[in-house]
Amino acid sequence: MVISAGAAAWDTGRVSSRAWLSLAITAALWGASYLFIKVALDDGVSEGVIIDLRVVLGALILVPVAIRAGAVAPLLARRGWVLLLALVQVIAPFGLITFGENHVPSALAGILVGSSPLFIALLAARLDPEERARGWGLVGILLGMVGVVLLFGVDLSGKADALLGGLMILAAGLCYAAAVLVAKRAFTGVPPVGVAASTMVVSAVAWLPVALLTLPDHVPGANATASLLALGVGGTGVAFWLYYRSIADVGPARAAIVSYVAPAFAVVYGVTLLGERLTAGTIGGLVLILAGSWLAAQGRPPALSRSGPSRSSVPAPARVR
């Protein structure tokens, strides 16, 4: 799920150390999601089981919070939109990422998903004039696309499976971008944690048949079991709860910084814990995609983002890796 492309300008003052710690933990958890998926896949756990277990565990944490927030009634009134949002925000992208990670290192998966603000800007050119990129935003789109080409040309070149996996994960970023526009259109005024909880419930039902048909023929090892629990409870449930608490504490714009930090965590985890290669293409792609995403989302360089509002202040649900 993705953080909104646009958010009101923010400055680093008036933010407590507790708020910064909460944001850092959220980014660390989301960045670790790719690691957890890779460990489970390497142990032979099926993609369907991984996806369904994570959304079930996430729902168990988020649904009680959503009920307390009074989100049930407005969500029932938008149940058709809930189904559409669940498709583009969880069902499709979780599948694309998990299947794609069979062929792509976890670090590259984290970087490629970080391209979603670029797709938001591209989709908005036709669908949402308020989010349309101009000036620096157009520069950001160009930079980000150069970063994507660099990753595919250096780190994913020469292997058909790797190219396919990279395209699947890139498609997940496109799904997340579409989810932002759907959420903005249909869920204004609905408690965001309720929106997240509802998409988890729908997605758990949708992926359940696939999970039941692909149950493992062995008991997952300790590392895989711990990774699955951490992915569902930490990377999906707790991270969401922390993110929405951060929105309440510091506002959606400051909270949006998580989406620019999480890919860096994914790279660190992949390199240090899984022994994945850190290449010049990885570093260059990370820098270009994140810089391009920032410019595409904020419409100006970081130094200028504190001086005035960006193109939109409407938050959307945050990305879950």
Side-chain angles (χ1 to χ4, degrees), residues 1 27-41 54 97-98 101 104-114 169 176 231 262-263 265-267 269-270 274 276 319-321:
M1 301 176 202
L29 287 171
W30 278 341
S33 296
Y34 308 100
L35 164 72
F36 298 144
I37 292 171
K38 180 68 75 174
V39 171
L41 287 172
R54 75 176 295 192
I97 291 170
T98 306
E101 276 204 56
V104 173
S106 64
L108 291 187
I111 297 172
L112 289 172
V113 172
I169 294 170
Y176 287 142
L231 178 65
F265 274 105
V267 172
Y269 294 141
L274 295 180
E276 296 174 351
R319 178 171 56 230
V320 173
R321 302 333 200 255

Side-chain angles (χ1 to χ4, degrees), residues 16-299:
S16 68
S17 57
R18 182 181 70 84
W20 282 122
L21 178 61
S22 180
L23 290 172
I25 293 173
T26 305
L29 287 171
W30 278 341
S33 296
Y34 308 100
L35 164 72
F36 298 144
I37 292 171
K38 180 68 75 174
V39 171
L41 287 172
D42 289 346
D43 193 73
V45 182
S46 73
E47 296 83 358
V49 170
I50 293 171
I51 298 165
D52 202 58
L53 183 60
R54 75 176 295 192
V55 294
V56 167
L57 292 173
L60 289 175
I61 292 174
L62 294 171
V63 167
V65 181
I67 293 173
R68 289 197 298 270
V72 175
L75 286 169
L76 289 175
R78 297 168 171 84
R79 52 188 175 272
W81 285 107
V82 169
L83 293 175
L84 176 60
L85 186 62
L87 175 63
V88 297
Q89 194 176 59
V90 181
I91 297 172
F94 276 24
L96 289 165
I97 291 170
T98 306
F99 279 91
E101 276 204 56
N102 282 303
H103 313 294
V104 173
S106 64
L108 291 187
I111 297 172
L112 289 172
V113 172
S115 66
S116 57
L118 306 175
F119 287 117
I120 294 171
L122 291 172
L123 291 176
R126 293 292 299 274
L127 302 176
D128 189 348
E130 184 178 333
E131 297 286 351
R132 187 171 296 163
R134 301 175 180 85
W136 280 106
L138 294 174
V139 175
I141 293 174
L142 179 61
L143 281 178
M145 292 306 171
V146 170
V148 171
V149 171
L150 180 62
L151 285 179
F152 274 82
V154 175
D155 286 2
L156 299 177
S157 62
K159 300 177 182 178
D161 288 348
L163 288 173
L164 177 60
L167 288 173
M168 292 174 71
I169 294 170
L170 202 61
L174 177 60
C175 289
Y176 287 142
V180 166
L181 300 181
V182 172
K184 181 178 178 181
R185 177 183 178 88
F187 293 94
T188 300
V190 180
V193 71
V195 178
S198 66
T199 59
M200 293 294 168
V201 172
V202 171
S203 302
V205 174
W207 276 103
L208 180 59
V210 181
L212 293 177
L213 289 172
T214 58
L215 290 173
D217 56 6
H218 67 285
V219 177
N223 288 340
T225 300
S227 294
L228 289 169
L229 291 174
L231 178 65
V233 175
T236 308
V238 172
F240 257 91
W241 175 71
L242 287 174
Y243 175 74
Y244 289 118
R245 193 178 72 174
S246 296
I247 289 179
D249 289 343
V250 303
R254 291 184 179 95
I257 196 173
V258 170
S259 70
Y260 304 108
V261 179
F265 274 105
V267 172
V268 171
Y269 294 141
V271 172
T272 60
L273 299 180
L274 295 180
E276 296 174 351
R277 291 191 310 131
L278 181 63
T279 67
T282 302
I283 297 172
L286 174 67
V287 171
L288 288 172
I289 289 174
L290 295 189
S293 294
W294 177 282
L295 290 173
Q298 300 295 328

